[in-house]
Amino acid sequence: MRRIVALCAAAVLLLAGCGDNTPEDPEVVVTGDVGAAPTVTYRTPLRVAETTRETVWEGTGPELVDGRPVLLDFWLENADDASLVKESYTSSPTPRMLTEEDLGKDLYATLSGQKVGARLVQIAPASSASAASYPTVTVLDVLPTRADGEAVAPREGMPTVTLGEDGAPTLTPTGTEPPGDLTVQPLIRGTGQQVGSGDVITVQYTGFVWADGQEIDSTWTSGSPQTFTLSDVPAWSEALLEQAVGSQVMVVVPPSYALGVTQSEEFAGQTVVFVIDLLATRAPAATPTDGATATEGE
């Protein structure tokens, strides 16, 4: 009888021990260099009970501001079989707003409190609240939304550019006649990849009238960077060639050039000054990646 009781007690303890086991966080290893697409390694199918997030490396730039734009490179995989769903490294980075409404609950929580330059990984279960019927692994690189480099003193006779706290420029005109040729003046010299002919560029920019400094067009109104094929903006295709990512460049465009980004008849015959923050440059992809946003399936 005592032996039976002892065996029963041991069985109860064993069952209790099994009941105390909690699932471990899924193991995902992310490798790769700064600015390059990541390599993601894990055992498939990945079992994901709840959303987890890790910092691959910390950012060293400004902290992200709630309600303000963020610029992201992303790599999204179906964690059932490690297949790539979509990514931005072969196309262009994705601008979003740091709000739960724009990013969704999970991605907003992953990015909140992070700094520019961070690489993050988010592991999320399948969710009926999103388009993904499978668990996902998403790697996110947080990119700058303004130029960041060494200041360059402009040559004599160029307009004065003053930057606001958020990086938005204003222009003080010289009161002199504009140059007759396309003129390029670096204001901040970055250290990133150089722009190649035919590249797709991501920028912040503002256009001004040379004569009075009137603003005519700007991405800074919303603060969200925009992406252009360089060949679509004739003056820029010449002026930005071989400029480095991270740079801020002043481009003085005489009226003989087509502006491309702003073709208002109101400014026909005017010399226009662009102040451009160069945030990314990529060779055009042969086959565009799925254009869906980074938050789908997360």
Side-chain angles (χ1 to χ4, degrees), residues 1-48:
M1 182 67 178
R2 289 179 180 176
R3 184 179 179 187
I4 294 174
V5 171
L7 289 172
C8 288
V12 169
L13 288 172
L14 180 61
L15 290 172
C18 292
D20 288 342
N21 286 342
T22 56
E24 296 182 357
D25 289 343
E27 183 177 355
V28 175
V29 177
V30 178
T31 56
D33 296 331
V34 175
T39 298
V40 188
T41 307
Y42 50 91
R43 188 181 300 274
T44 60
L46 196 65
R47 302 304 180 192
V48 185

Side-chain angles (χ1 to χ4, degrees):
M1 182 67 178
R2 289 179 180 176
R3 184 179 179 187
I4 294 174
V5 171
L7 289 172
C8 288
V12 169
L13 288 172
L14 180 61
L15 290 172
C18 292
D20 288 342
N21 286 342
T22 56
E24 296 182 357
D25 289 343
E27 183 177 355
V28 175
V29 177
V30 178
T31 56
D33 296 331
V34 175
T39 298
V40 188
T41 307
Y42 50 91
R43 188 181 300 274
T44 60
L46 196 65
R47 302 304 180 192
V48 185
E50 61 182 5
T51 300
T52 59
R53 45 190 60 89
E54 300 175 10
T55 300
V56 180
W57 58 65
E58 300 280 352
T60 58
E63 185 170 335
L64 301 183
V65 178
D66 200 60
R68 296 292 299 165
V70 294
L71 187 62
L72 304 170
D73 263 327
F74 69 92
W75 182 277
L76 173 63
E77 291 187 358
N78 177 342
D80 277 340
D81 56 10
S83 60
L84 177 63
V85 178
K86 50 186 173 282
E87 53 86 23
S88 68
Y89 294 87
T90 57
S91 52
S92 297
T94 301
R96 305 301 296 270
M97 298 298 291
L98 188 60
T99 64
E100 189 171 321
E101 291 75 18
D102 191 34
L103 294 169
K105 182 178 180 180
D106 281 349
L107 193 56
Y108 174 72
T110 298
L111 290 169
S112 292
Q114 296 292 337
K115 294 181 177 181
V116 169
R119 171 167 282 186
L120 313 167
V121 59
Q122 175 179 291
I123 307 161
S127 171
S128 59
S130 71
S133 58
Y134 45 80
T136 56
V137 174
T138 308
V139 180
L140 299 153
D141 284 343
V142 184
L143 306 182
T145 56
R146 59 185 292 182
D148 181 23
E150 181 182 353
V152 178
R155 73 194 75 171
E156 187 177 352
M158 297 295 283
T160 300
V161 174
T162 304
L163 302 181
E165 185 176 346
D166 63 351
T170 56
L171 189 83
T172 302
T174 63
T176 60
E177 289 296 313
D181 298 323
L182 183 73
T183 303
V184 181
Q185 171 62 64
L187 301 175
I188 296 173
R189 199 178 304 279
T191 59
Q193 181 178 344
Q194 288 185 313
V195 176
S197 178
D199 275 8
V200 177
I201 58 171
T202 300
V203 299
Q204 296 264 38
Y205 75 90
T206 302
F208 304 94
V209 176
W210 171 281
D212 58 9
Q214 177 187 353
E215 181 181 308
I216 60 175
D217 192 17
S218 182
T219 60
W220 292 97
T221 303
S222 65
S224 186
Q226 292 189 16
T227 296
F228 300 92
T229 300
L230 197 60
S231 58
D232 290 342
V233 191
W236 293 10
S237 63
E238 181 177 339
L240 297 181
L241 192 64
E242 298 185 355
Q243 297 290 338
V245 168
S247 298
Q248 182 180 79
V249 182
M250 180 194 299
V251 181
V252 182
V253 185
S256 56
Y257 279 78
L259 297 179
V261 295
T262 176
Q263 295 288 17
S264 173
E265 293 183 3
E266 179 184 356
F267 303 107
Q270 297 273 11
T271 294
V272 172
V273 182
F274 287 106
V275 178
I276 304 164
D277 286 26
L278 183 57
L279 307 177
T281 188
R282 309 274 167 84
T287 302
T289 305
D290 183 351
T293 61
T295 55
E296 287 185 7
E298 295 175 7

